């Protein structure tokens, strides 16, 4: 997860009441998050809030925070599990890369934005 704007300028903070939902997962929760979709996208803003590894027959889960423009800090925002986008770049090769965004997302796929800025910007392999 990144605290740096890569695409959409939509930004939000993790609310105090949301913090307990995001602890104990596979990602380090960030206090401030940018929308990960393409700039100028239609619909809701999205950011990966937490990844739960699963195990013992339970599959991994991506928890996404999504909100409408102007609803960064009110009851219209939600944290919920969303399936990953199934599109892959160079599928079947050693360079294969997953989109890393939720299924049916607006705009370009995650791999079209270029390489991650740092290790913190890389989605854990078990969520892809």
């Amino acid at each position: 997860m990144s605290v740096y704007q890569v695409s959409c300028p939509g930004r939000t903070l993790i609310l105090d009441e949301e913090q307990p939902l995001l602890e104990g997962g596979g990602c380090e929760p960030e206090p401030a998050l940018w929308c990960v979709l393409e700039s100028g996208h239609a619909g809701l803003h999205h950011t990966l809030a937490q990844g739960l590894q699963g195990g013992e027959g339970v599959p991994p889960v991506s928890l996404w925070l999504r909100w409408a423009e102007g609803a960064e800090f009110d009851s219209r925002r939600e944290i919920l599990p969303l399936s990953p986008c199934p599109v892959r770049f160079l599928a079947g090769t050693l360079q294969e890369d997953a989109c890393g965004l939720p299924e049916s997302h607006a705009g370009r796929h995650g791999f079209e934005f270029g390489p991650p800025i740092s290790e913190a910007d890389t989605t854990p392999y078990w969520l892809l």
Side-chain angles (χ1 to χ4, degrees), residues 94-106:
L94 293 175
Q95 290 80 28
E96 182 174 330
D97 195 8
C99 171
L101 298 174
E103 189 171 29
S104 302
H105 63 83

Side-chain angles (χ1 to χ4, degrees), residues 39-109:
S39 183
H41 68 84
L44 300 173
H45 294 290
H46 287 74
T47 191
L48 180 63
Q50 184 55 275
L52 306 175
Q53 242 178 324
E56 297 182 27
V58 178
V61 175
S62 299
L63 294 178
W64 291 84
L65 171 59
R66 66 184 186 183
W67 69 97
E69 189 67 35
E72 292 88 348
F73 308 108
D74 68 23
S75 62
R76 292 176 286 170
R77 61 190 269 140
E78 57 186 339
I79 295 176
L80 70 165
L82 295 175
S83 298
C85 177
V87 176
R88 302 185 86 71
F89 178 66
L90 299 174
T93 71
L94 293 175
Q95 290 80 28
E96 182 174 330
D97 195 8
C99 171
L101 298 174
E103 189 171 29
S104 302
H105 63 83
R108 295 182 294 166
H109 296 289

Side-chain angles (χ1 to χ4, degrees), residues 111-128:
F111 50 74
E112 295 179 279
F113 289 103
I117 295 170
S118 71
E119 186 65 30
D121 298 314
T122 304
T123 303
Y125 74 90
W126 43 266
L127 283 175
L128 305 173

